[in-house]
Amino acid sequence: MSMLTKRLLSLTLIILITLGSSSGCAPPLPAQKFRLLAFGTYIDVEVIGINQPRAEAARRQLQQDFDLMHHAWHAWEPGPLGYVNASIRDGVQRIAAPPSTLPLIKISQELARQSDYLFDPGIGQLVKLWDFHRGELTSRQPPELEAIDALLSQQPSICQLAVDGFHINSNNPAVQLDFGAIGKGYGVDQAILRLQEMGIDSAIVNAGGDLRAIGSRAGVPWRIAIRGPSGSGVLAWLPVSDNGAVFTSGDYERNFTWDGEFYHHIIDPRTGYPAEGAASVTVLHTDATTADAAATALFIAGPEDWPQIARQMGIDQVLLVDTEGQIHMTEKMQNQVKLRPLTKQPRIVSLPE
Ligand code: AMP
Ligand code: MG
Protein backbone atom coordinates (compact mmCIF):
# COMPACT_ATOMS: atom_id res chain seq x y z
CA MET A 1 0.00 0.00 0.00
CA SER A 2 1.42 3.37 -0.99
CA MET A 3 1.86 6.17 1.53
CA LEU A 4 -0.83 8.21 -0.25
CA THR A 5 -3.38 5.34 -0.14
CA LYS A 6 -2.68 4.84 3.60
CA ARG A 7 -3.24 8.54 4.28
CA LEU A 8 -6.47 8.56 2.27
CA LEU A 9 -7.74 5.50 4.16
CA SER A 10 -7.04 6.98 7.58
CA LEU A 11 -8.65 10.29 6.53
CA THR A 12 -11.81 8.43 5.39
CA LEU A 13 -11.86 6.61 8.74
CA ILE A 14 -11.66 9.90 10.66
CA ILE A 15 -14.49 11.42 8.56
CA LEU A 16 -16.70 8.34 9.11
CA ILE A 17 -16.12 8.36 12.89
CA THR A 18 -16.91 12.10 13.05
CA LEU A 19 -20.10 11.66 11.03
CA GLY A 20 -21.10 8.72 13.23
CA SER A 21 -20.76 10.65 16.45
CA SER A 22 -22.61 13.73 15.16
CA SER A 23 -25.62 11.94 13.64
CA GLY A 24 -26.36 8.38 14.68
CA CYS A 25 -24.74 7.98 18.09
CA ALA A 26 -26.18 10.89 20.08
CA PRO A 27 -29.03 9.63 22.26
CA PRO A 28 -32.40 10.80 20.86
CA LEU A 29 -34.03 13.62 22.82
CA PRO A 30 -36.94 12.36 24.92
CA ALA A 31 -40.51 13.44 24.21
CA GLN A 32 -41.44 16.53 26.20
CA LYS A 33 -44.97 16.80 27.52
CA PHE A 34 -46.79 19.73 29.06
CA ARG A 35 -50.34 20.72 29.91
CA LEU A 36 -52.14 24.01 29.24
CA LEU A 37 -55.54 25.29 30.20
CA ALA A 38 -57.74 26.92 27.55
CA PHE A 39 -61.37 27.08 26.39
CA GLY A 40 -62.36 25.50 29.71
CA THR A 41 -60.43 22.32 28.98
CA TYR A 42 -56.93 20.90 29.42
CA ILE A 43 -54.71 20.97 26.36
CA ASP A 44 -52.00 18.31 26.40
CA VAL A 45 -49.00 18.94 24.20
CA GLU A 46 -46.27 16.47 23.32
CA VAL A 47 -43.25 17.61 21.35
CA ILE A 48 -40.49 15.43 19.96
CA GLY A 49 -36.83 16.21 19.32
CA ILE A 50 -36.29 19.28 21.51
CA ASN A 51 -34.68 19.74 24.90
CA GLN A 52 -36.39 20.78 28.12
CA PRO A 53 -35.61 24.54 27.98
CA ARG A 54 -37.04 24.77 24.44
CA ALA A 55 -40.12 22.83 25.54
CA GLU A 56 -40.57 25.23 28.46
CA ALA A 57 -40.33 28.21 26.06
CA ALA A 58 -42.97 26.54 23.83
CA ARG A 59 -45.23 25.93 26.85
CA ARG A 60 -45.06 29.57 27.93
CA GLN A 61 -45.71 30.85 24.40
CA LEU A 62 -48.64 28.51 23.77
CA GLN A 63 -50.29 29.32 27.10
CA GLN A 64 -49.99 33.03 26.26
CA ASP A 65 -51.50 32.42 22.80
CA PHE A 66 -54.40 30.40 24.22
CA ASP A 67 -55.10 33.04 26.88
CA LEU A 68 -55.37 35.65 24.12
CA MET A 69 -57.64 33.46 22.00
CA HIS A 70 -59.86 32.62 24.97
CA HIS A 71 -60.24 36.32 25.77
CA ALA A 72 -60.84 37.31 22.12
CA TRP A 73 -63.52 34.71 21.30
CA HIS A 74 -65.55 34.36 24.44
CA ALA A 75 -69.16 34.84 23.33
CA TRP A 76 -70.64 36.46 26.42
CA GLU A 77 -67.79 37.62 28.65
CA PRO A 78 -66.56 41.18 28.04
CA GLY A 79 -63.88 41.10 25.36
CA PRO A 80 -63.55 41.50 21.58
CA LEU A 81 -66.28 39.03 20.57
CA GLY A 82 -68.47 40.15 23.47
CA TYR A 83 -68.16 43.68 22.07
CA VAL A 84 -69.19 42.54 18.56
CA ASN A 85 -72.16 40.61 19.96
CA ALA A 86 -73.30 43.53 22.12
CA SER A 87 -73.08 45.87 19.11
CA ILE A 88 -75.13 43.52 16.90
CA ARG A 89 -77.74 43.15 19.65
CA ASP A 90 -77.91 46.94 20.06
CA GLY A 91 -78.70 47.30 16.37
CA VAL A 92 -75.39 48.93 15.38
CA GLN A 93 -75.28 48.50 11.61
CA ARG A 94 -71.61 49.22 11.00
CA ILE A 95 -69.40 47.81 13.71
CA ALA A 96 -65.71 48.69 14.05
CA ALA A 97 -64.62 45.11 14.71
CA PRO A 98 -61.67 44.22 16.92
CA PRO A 99 -59.18 42.64 14.45
CA SER A 100 -58.79 39.52 16.63
CA THR A 101 -62.37 38.51 15.77
CA LEU A 102 -62.16 38.86 11.99
CA PRO A 103 -60.23 35.77 10.79
CA LEU A 104 -62.50 33.42 12.71
CA ILE A 105 -65.65 35.19 11.45
CA LYS A 106 -64.46 34.97 7.84
CA ILE A 107 -63.42 31.30 8.00
CA SER A 108 -66.67 30.43 9.80
CA GLN A 109 -68.74 32.16 7.13
CA GLU A 110 -67.13 30.06 4.42
CA LEU A 111 -67.47 26.77 6.33
CA ALA A 112 -71.08 27.63 7.27
CA ARG A 113 -71.88 28.21 3.60
CA GLN A 114 -70.29 24.88 2.60
CA SER A 115 -72.36 23.10 5.27
CA ASP A 116 -75.66 24.58 4.00
CA TYR A 117 -75.67 26.50 7.31
CA LEU A 118 -76.04 23.39 9.47
CA PHE A 119 -72.86 24.64 11.14
CA ASP A 120 -73.85 28.22 11.85
CA PRO A 121 -72.08 30.21 14.60
CA GLY A 122 -74.67 32.98 14.13
CA ILE A 123 -77.21 31.04 16.26
CA GLY A 124 -75.67 32.06 19.59
CA GLN A 125 -79.06 33.17 20.96
CA LEU A 126 -80.53 29.70 20.36
CA VAL A 127 -77.60 28.08 22.17
CA LYS A 128 -78.10 30.56 24.99
CA LEU A 129 -81.82 29.82 25.12
CA TRP A 130 -80.97 26.15 25.68
CA ASP A 131 -78.54 27.31 28.37
CA PHE A 132 -75.74 25.15 27.03
CA HIS A 133 -73.19 27.87 27.54
CA ARG A 134 -73.23 27.21 31.27
CA GLY A 135 -70.44 24.96 32.51
CA GLU A 136 -72.40 22.69 34.82
CA LEU A 137 -75.69 21.32 33.57
CA THR A 138 -78.43 19.98 35.74
CA SER A 139 -81.81 18.66 34.74
CA ARG A 140 -84.19 21.47 33.83
CA GLN A 141 -87.07 22.29 31.59
CA PRO A 142 -86.21 22.79 27.90
CA PRO A 143 -87.09 26.22 26.45
CA GLU A 144 -90.71 26.91 25.50
CA LEU A 145 -91.58 26.08 21.89
CA GLU A 146 -92.85 29.67 21.47
CA ALA A 147 -89.48 31.10 22.50
CA ILE A 148 -87.66 28.84 19.99
CA ASP A 149 -90.13 29.71 17.21
CA ALA A 150 -89.87 33.43 17.97
CA LEU A 151 -86.10 33.23 17.54
CA LEU A 152 -86.26 31.06 14.40
CA SER A 153 -88.68 33.52 12.78
CA GLN A 154 -85.93 36.16 12.97
CA GLN A 155 -83.66 33.83 10.93
CA PRO A 156 -80.39 34.46 12.72
CA SER A 157 -77.37 33.32 10.69
CA ILE A 158 -73.74 34.26 10.31
CA CYS A 159 -74.51 34.85 6.61
CA GLN A 160 -76.25 38.07 7.67
CA LEU A 161 -72.96 39.64 8.70
CA ALA A 162 -70.79 41.18 5.98
CA VAL A 163 -67.11 41.77 6.73
CA ASP A 164 -65.90 44.93 5.04
CA GLY A 165 -62.25 45.62 5.86
CA PHE A 166 -62.14 46.17 9.62
CA HIS A 167 -65.89 46.67 9.80
CA ILE A 168 -68.79 44.28 10.14
CA ASN A 169 -72.07 45.30 8.58
CA SER A 170 -75.02 43.82 10.40
CA ASN A 171 -78.73 44.06 9.69
CA ASN A 172 -80.18 41.48 12.05
CA PRO A 173 -79.98 42.12 15.82
CA ALA A 174 -80.99 38.47 16.44
CA VAL A 175 -77.58 37.26 15.25
CA GLN A 176 -75.17 36.39 18.07
CA LEU A 177 -71.83 34.73 17.43
CA ASP A 178 -70.91 31.57 19.34
CA PHE A 179 -67.72 29.86 18.21
CA GLY A 180 -68.18 26.82 20.45
CA ALA A 181 -68.20 24.50 17.43
CA ILE A 182 -65.01 25.78 15.75
CA GLY A 183 -62.93 27.83 18.22
CA LYS A 184 -61.12 24.86 19.68
CA GLY A 185 -60.14 23.63 16.20
CA TYR A 186 -58.93 27.05 15.16
CA GLY A 187 -56.96 27.35 18.41
CA VAL A 188 -55.31 23.95 17.87
CA ASP A 189 -54.29 25.03 14.35
CA GLN A 190 -52.78 28.25 15.73
CA ALA A 191 -50.84 26.22 18.32
CA ILE A 192 -49.44 23.90 15.63
CA LEU A 193 -48.45 26.92 13.52
CA ARG A 194 -46.68 28.42 16.53
CA LEU A 195 -44.78 25.19 17.23
CA GLN A 196 -43.71 24.99 13.57
CA GLU A 197 -42.56 28.61 13.77
CA MET A 198 -40.41 27.56 16.75
CA GLY A 199 -38.74 24.88 14.60
CA ILE A 200 -40.73 21.94 15.97
CA ASP A 201 -41.90 19.48 13.33
CA SER A 202 -43.16 16.55 15.40
CA ALA A 203 -45.85 17.32 17.95
CA ILE A 204 -49.37 16.63 19.04
CA VAL A 205 -51.79 19.20 20.48
CA ASN A 206 -54.66 17.42 22.20
CA ALA A 207 -57.61 19.45 23.47
CA GLY A 208 -59.56 16.89 25.49
CA GLY A 209 -59.49 14.19 22.79
CA ASP A 210 -59.82 16.60 19.83
CA LEU A 211 -56.38 17.05 18.38
CA ARG A 212 -53.93 17.66 15.58
CA ALA A 213 -50.63 15.84 15.11
CA ILE A 214 -47.67 16.68 12.90
CA GLY A 215 -44.59 14.58 12.10
CA SER A 216 -44.30 11.33 14.00
CA ARG A 217 -43.09 9.86 17.26
CA ALA A 218 -39.54 8.86 16.23
CA GLY A 219 -40.76 7.57 12.85
CA VAL A 220 -43.80 5.78 14.27
CA PRO A 221 -47.22 7.28 13.40
CA TRP A 222 -49.22 8.83 16.23
CA ARG A 223 -51.94 6.46 17.43
CA ILE A 224 -55.16 8.33 18.08
CA ALA A 225 -58.05 6.94 20.12
CA ILE A 226 -61.61 7.64 18.93
CA ARG A 227 -64.03 7.81 21.83
CA GLY A 228 -67.12 5.62 21.84
CA PRO A 229 -70.53 7.30 21.43
CA SER A 230 -71.15 7.24 25.19
CA GLY A 231 -68.04 9.39 25.61
CA SER A 232 -66.19 6.79 27.61
CA GLY A 233 -64.06 3.96 26.31
CA VAL A 234 -62.32 3.65 22.96
CA LEU A 235 -64.33 2.79 19.86
CA ALA A 236 -61.42 2.72 17.42
CA TRP A 237 -57.80 3.69 16.80
CA LEU A 238 -56.52 5.88 14.00
CA PRO A 239 -52.89 6.10 12.95
CA VAL A 240 -51.90 9.66 12.00
CA SER A 241 -48.54 10.48 10.51
CA ASP A 242 -47.22 13.62 8.90
CA ASN A 243 -50.27 15.81 9.50
CA GLY A 244 -53.82 15.11 10.63
CA ALA A 245 -56.54 16.56 12.83
CA VAL A 246 -59.11 14.29 14.49
CA PHE A 247 -62.22 15.97 15.91
CA THR A 248 -65.34 14.38 17.39
CA SER A 249 -68.76 15.91 18.08
CA GLY A 250 -70.87 13.84 20.44
CA ASP A 251 -74.19 14.12 22.25
CA TYR A 252 -72.43 13.00 25.45
CA GLU A 253 -70.49 16.23 25.86
CA ARG A 254 -73.21 18.46 27.28
CA ASN A 255 -76.74 17.27 27.82
CA PHE A 256 -79.62 16.87 30.24
CA THR A 257 -82.71 14.75 30.62
CA TRP A 258 -86.17 16.19 31.31
CA ASP A 259 -89.37 14.23 31.58
CA GLY A 260 -87.63 11.16 30.16
CA GLU A 261 -86.38 13.08 27.08
CA PHE A 262 -82.69 13.48 26.32
CA TYR A 263 -81.47 16.93 25.14
CA HIS A 264 -77.92 17.70 23.99
CA HIS A 265 -75.96 20.78 22.95
CA ILE A 266 -75.69 20.43 19.16
CA ILE A 267 -78.60 22.44 17.81
CA ASP A 268 -80.16 22.02 14.38
CA PRO A 269 -80.58 25.62 13.12
CA ARG A 270 -83.57 24.51 11.02
CA THR A 271 -85.65 23.33 14.00
CA GLY A 272 -84.04 25.07 16.99
CA TYR A 273 -83.88 21.67 18.73
CA PRO A 274 -80.99 19.28 19.38
CA ALA A 275 -80.11 17.47 16.14
CA GLU A 276 -81.51 13.95 15.82
CA GLY A 277 -80.10 10.74 14.41
CA ALA A 278 -76.39 10.89 15.27
CA ALA A 279 -74.72 10.04 18.58
CA SER A 280 -71.18 10.97 17.54
CA VAL A 281 -69.22 12.00 14.46
CA THR A 282 -65.45 11.82 14.05
CA VAL A 283 -63.68 13.63 11.22
CA LEU A 284 -60.06 13.24 10.13
CA HIS A 285 -58.78 16.12 8.02
CA THR A 286 -55.60 18.08 7.38
CA ASP A 287 -56.58 21.10 9.48
CA ALA A 288 -58.31 21.23 12.83
CA THR A 289 -60.52 24.25 12.04
CA THR A 290 -62.32 22.44 9.21
CA ALA A 291 -62.39 19.12 11.10
CA ASP A 292 -64.07 20.80 14.10
CA ALA A 293 -66.71 22.66 12.06
CA ALA A 294 -67.34 19.59 9.88
CA ALA A 295 -67.81 17.22 12.84
CA THR A 296 -70.56 19.53 14.12
CA ALA A 297 -72.15 19.98 10.66
CA LEU A 298 -72.18 16.24 9.86
CA PHE A 299 -73.64 15.47 13.28
CA ILE A 300 -76.54 17.81 12.47
CA ALA A 301 -76.88 16.43 8.92
CA GLY A 302 -77.43 12.99 10.51
CA PRO A 303 -77.09 9.39 9.26
CA GLU A 304 -78.79 10.01 5.88
CA ASP A 305 -77.55 13.40 4.72
CA TRP A 306 -73.96 13.58 6.00
CA PRO A 307 -72.28 12.29 2.77
CA GLN A 308 -73.58 15.27 0.78
CA ILE A 309 -72.43 17.81 3.37
CA ALA A 310 -69.06 16.03 3.70
CA ARG A 311 -68.53 16.33 -0.03
CA GLN A 312 -69.45 20.03 0.01
CA MET A 313 -66.98 20.64 2.86
CA GLY A 314 -64.16 18.69 1.17
CA ILE A 315 -64.12 16.01 3.90
CA ASP A 316 -63.51 12.36 3.00
CA GLN A 317 -62.61 10.64 6.28
CA VAL A 318 -65.68 10.34 8.48
CA LEU A 319 -66.97 7.92 11.10
CA LEU A 320 -70.55 8.47 12.31
CA VAL A 321 -72.27 6.42 15.00
CA ASP A 322 -76.04 6.77 14.86
CA THR A 323 -78.40 6.66 17.84
CA GLU A 324 -79.04 2.94 17.11
CA GLY A 325 -75.33 2.21 17.49
CA GLN A 326 -74.74 1.57 13.77
CA ILE A 327 -71.39 2.83 12.46
CA HIS A 328 -71.31 4.59 9.10
CA MET A 329 -68.01 5.53 7.49
CA THR A 330 -66.28 6.46 4.28
CA GLU A 331 -64.09 3.96 2.47
CA LYS A 332 -61.05 6.14 3.12
CA MET A 333 -61.77 6.06 6.85
CA GLN A 334 -62.28 2.29 6.71
CA ASN A 335 -58.80 1.89 5.17
CA GLN A 336 -57.23 3.73 8.11
CA VAL A 337 -59.23 2.94 11.19
CA LYS A 338 -58.80 -0.05 13.51
CA LEU A 339 -62.15 -0.76 15.13
CA ARG A 340 -62.28 -2.36 18.55
CA PRO A 341 -62.79 -6.15 18.22
CA LEU A 342 -66.43 -7.31 18.21
CA THR A 343 -67.71 -3.97 16.89
CA LYS A 344 -70.86 -4.36 14.77
CA GLN A 345 -70.20 -4.47 11.00
CA PRO A 346 -69.92 -0.83 9.80
CA ARG A 347 -71.83 0.56 6.86
CA ILE A 348 -69.40 1.83 4.22
CA VAL A 349 -70.73 4.87 2.40
CA SER A 350 -69.50 6.45 -0.84
CA LEU A 351 -69.58 10.20 -1.10
CA PRO A 352 -71.70 11.63 -3.93
CA GLU A 353 -69.87 12.85 -7.04
P1 AMP B 1 -68.98 20.79 18.90
O1 AMP B 1 -68.78 20.10 20.21
O2 AMP B 1 -67.70 21.19 18.21
O3 AMP B 1 -69.90 20.05 17.98
O4 AMP B 1 -69.66 22.21 19.22
C1 AMP B 1 -70.87 22.31 19.93
C2 AMP B 1 -71.02 23.71 20.46
O5 AMP B 1 -71.19 24.61 19.35
C3 AMP B 1 -72.24 23.91 21.34
O6 AMP B 1 -71.94 23.75 22.70
C4 AMP B 1 -72.66 25.34 21.00
O7 AMP B 1 -71.89 26.27 21.74
C5 AMP B 1 -72.28 25.49 19.55
N1 AMP B 1 -73.33 25.05 18.59
C6 AMP B 1 -74.43 24.29 18.81
N2 AMP B 1 -75.11 24.09 17.67
C7 AMP B 1 -74.42 24.73 16.69
C8 AMP B 1 -74.60 24.90 15.28
N3 AMP B 1 -75.64 24.35 14.62
N4 AMP B 1 -73.69 25.63 14.61
C9 AMP B 1 -72.63 26.19 15.22
N5 AMP B 1 -72.41 26.07 16.55
C10 AMP B 1 -73.27 25.35 17.28
MG1 MG C 1 -67.10 21.21 16.20
Side-chain angles (χ1 to χ4, degrees), residues 181 249 292-293 296:
S249 280
D292 193 356
T296 307

Side-chain angles (χ1 to χ4, degrees), residues 180-207:
I182 188 173
K184 206 203 273 181
Y186 191 76
V188 166
D189 277 341
Q190 299 311 305
I192 289 287
L193 269 176
R194 178 67 88 183
L195 292 173
Q196 287 172 327
E197 235 173 58
M198 298 178 95
I200 294 163
D201 49 23
S202 282
I204 186 161
V205 178
N206 182 347

Side-chain angles (χ1 to χ4, degrees), residues 33-46 59 62-63 66 69 183-184 187-188 191 204-211:
K33 296 182 185 182
F34 53 85
R35 175 169 265 198
L36 311 163
L37 186 61
F39 306 129
T41 183
Y42 284 120
I43 309 220
D44 290 301
V45 181
E46 187 173 336
R59 187 197 65 76
L62 258 53
Q63 184 63 65
F66 276 119
M69 292 189 266
K184 206 203 273 181
V188 166
I204 186 161
V205 178
N206 182 347
D210 293 322
L211 54 91

Side-chain angles (χ1 to χ4, degrees), residues 108 142 205 347 350:
S108 294
V205 178
R347 224 180 102 195
S350 336

Side-chain angles (χ1 to χ4, degrees), residues 76 117-123 127 132-133 178-182 184 210 247-250 253-254 265-269 292-293 295-297 299-300:
W76 54 91
Y117 296 96
L118 296 182
F119 159 73
D120 191 335
I123 63 160
V127 176
F132 281 119
H133 67 281
D178 174 330
F179 290 122
I182 188 173
K184 206 203 273 181
D210 293 322
F247 272 68
T248 299
S249 280
E253 280 179 49
R254 266 174 265 166
H265 68 133
I266 305 174
I267 308 296
D268 186 335
D292 193 356
T296 307
F299 185 103
I300 297 165

